[in-house]
Amino acid sequence: MAFSIQDTLKQSHDAVPFSKQQITDMLALPPDSVESYAIMAEAKRISKSLTQDRAEVHGQFAINLSPCPKNCKFCSFAVCNGIFKKASQLSPEEVVEHATMLESQGVNAIYIMATANYPFGKFCEAVQETRAQLKPETMLIGNVSDQELDGAQKLADAGLNGVYHALRLREGIDTGLQPEARKNSIRSFKDAGLVVGTCVEPVGPEHSNEELAEMILFTASFDPAFSGAARRIEVPGTEIAARGMISELRMAQIVAVTRLAMPRSVTGNCTHEPYSLGAAAGANLFWAELGANPRDIKEHTEEGRGFTTGKCSELFRDADCGILKGPSQFFRKH
Ligand code: SF4
């Protein structure tokens, strides 16, 4: 059946799930077409109504910087990219300082990220110590390697509210991780009572609309705190940079289609890196970043690609979005 924007908008208004073919058709529209802009407006309407117009800014910092043997081609930490040669890590005091600084800036959730080879026991200790220093209502989220149920339970016991975990596009082909391990980890985190946020990432020009539609539906399948879409950033000096980068407009289109394809129980719709066009297209979650960042060649991303909490809020305001004050509502999900 030929694509009809009227039918698509009606189906979205009625909250009737979209099929893979319908999602693929929406993704196949030219990003600057009237139809794509209508889908972006509809995505913003949904995001606004699900959150009472309260977008969220989350803050992430890395506990360590280390050449990582998992060799995800898009990551500046990957050994194969040869960008960072030396390992470094925050002291326990610095971990707490980073977290409390983000808390004082008013982020709605704080993420602690570690590379795949960071010692797990040490990470749990850092979470426990940080949790003890934060306000009880502050949302503390982990961005860690794959875990079985036992590890996920330890993270929950240490004081995490949730995790960020994604099955990346072409996982196992462009990354050194196994798709099944990623999926199993998501199940383990959920079984341990951790709320999982996710994303369709990192999108490059080579990914087909079918591939993206399949991944959008995978994220919908486990009812995350948020889904969304993020483009792959060209990290200078990496082989994968030759594949290029999608435009912000194309990313906004994918963000909007993702919103339409998610069930309404998924209230968050993220995008990265932050841009006001994304917020205008239904993104309601941006990340501020501190320290090491897998898309940056600077050791401290605040001197490079990283966005501050204030800048993220400004970008939301530029898209006429309200901003939540207080702990993340996305991670309140049960
Ligand atoms: S994305 Fe994670 S697992 Fe992959 S190379 Fe980077 S730090 Fe390692």
Side-chain angles (χ1 to χ4, degrees):
M1 216 166 68
F3 178 83
S4 152
I5 190 64
Q6 284 77 19
D7 292 351
T8 302
L9 296 179
K10 179 168 186 325
Q11 185 170 338
S12 177
H13 267 261
D14 296 345
V16 174
F18 287 96
S19 67
K20 183 179 164 193
Q21 187 57 56
Q22 288 178 310
I23 298 168
T24 306
D25 289 347
M26 285 190 262
L27 291 166
L29 295 165
D32 61 354
S33 61
V34 171
E35 290 82 359
S36 281
Y37 277 90
I39 289 168
M40 291 184 212
E42 168 63 1
K44 188 167 195 277
R45 182 194 70 79
I46 300 170
S47 289
K48 205 169 158 178
S49 81
L50 289 177
T51 60
Q52 292 76 49
D53 195 20
R54 291 289 175 268
E56 300 192 13
V57 177
H58 297 182
Q60 171 162 275
F61 68 93
I63 198 167
N64 73 317
L65 167 59
S66 167
C68 178
K70 299 296 180 187
N71 282 331
C72 304
K73 293 179 185 165
F74 42 79
C75 174
S76 61
F77 301 158
V79 171
C80 65
N81 287 330
I83 293 167
F84 295 111
K85 304 269 186 327
K86 272 198 332 223
S88 62
Q89 51 188 270
L90 300 184
S91 67
E93 296 75 29
E94 286 170 328
V95 174
V96 172
E97 267 169 36
H98 279 64
T100 49
M101 185 167 99
L102 286 168
E103 185 182 59
S104 69
Q105 290 173 359
V107 297
N108 307 109
I110 298 166
Y111 295 48
I112 310 184
M113 176 177 68
T115 60
N117 51 356
Y118 190 78
F120 182 71
K122 239 175 124 174
F123 185 82
C124 289
E125 279 168 27
V127 168
Q128 216 168 355
E129 179 57 23
T130 307
R131 175 83 274 168
Q133 304 299 326
L134 295 173
K135 294 177 195 153
E137 66 273 22
T138 296
M139 291 285 178
L140 189 58
I141 311 301
N143 187 347
V144 291
S145 58
D146 286 316
Q147 301 296 326
E148 300 285 343
L149 184 57
D150 178 50
Q153 196 59 62
K154 287 193 171 103
L155 291 168
D157 293 345
L160 287 185
N161 300 97
V163 291
Y164 174 82
H165 216 72
L167 171 70
R168 280 86 50 90
L169 289 156
R170 301 196 187 171
E171 192 80 75
I173 299 168
D174 285 338
T175 75
L177 305 177
Q178 291 313 308
E180 274 319 307
R182 305 297 286 170
K183 292 181 187 171
N184 185 46
S185 299
I186 291 170
R187 279 191 291 272
S188 300
F189 291 133
K190 288 192 68 152
D191 289 347
L194 292 163
V195 180
V196 181
T198 196
C199 184
V200 175
E201 58 124 330
V203 185
E206 74 275 23
H207 297 121
S208 68
N209 294 322
E210 289 75 16
E211 246 177 311
L212 297 176
E214 208 164 291
M215 191 57 88
I216 288 171
L217 286 173
F218 170 71
T219 67
S221 71
F222 61 90
D223 196 30
F226 57 83
S227 184
R231 66 176 171 173
R232 184 178 64 233
I233 299 296
E234 266 177 33
V235 178
T238 61
E239 214 181 291
I240 203 170
R243 293 191 204 166
M245 206 155 100
I246 62 167
S247 66
E248 287 193 347
L249 183 61
R250 170 67 172 158
M251 180 160 52
Q253 177 192 19
I254 302 168
V255 165
V257 173
T258 305
R259 176 59 273 173
L260 264 65
M262 284 303 123
R264 297 295 196 265
S265 58
V266 180
T267 52
N269 195 37
C270 70
T271 195
H272 201 61
E273 294 167 337
Y275 58 118
S276 58
L277 180 57
N284 58 8
L285 169 55
F286 288 159
W287 282 278
E289 294 174 291
L290 278 183
N293 164 0
R295 290 169 312 283
D296 209 338
I297 53 170
K298 297 258 188 201
E299 240 175 82
H300 300 282
T301 196
E302 51 276 37
E303 295 157 11
R305 301 197 67 93
F307 284 68
T308 61
T309 307
K311 183 67 189 168
C312 290
S313 304
E314 198 181 304
L315 290 169
F316 273 133
R317 281 194 292 268
D318 276 340
D320 279 347
C321 294
I323 299 165
L324 178 76
K325 282 198 178 6
S328 169
Q329 294 300 309
F330 305 150
F331 279 105
R332 284 217 181 282
K333 189 180 182 102
H334 290 289

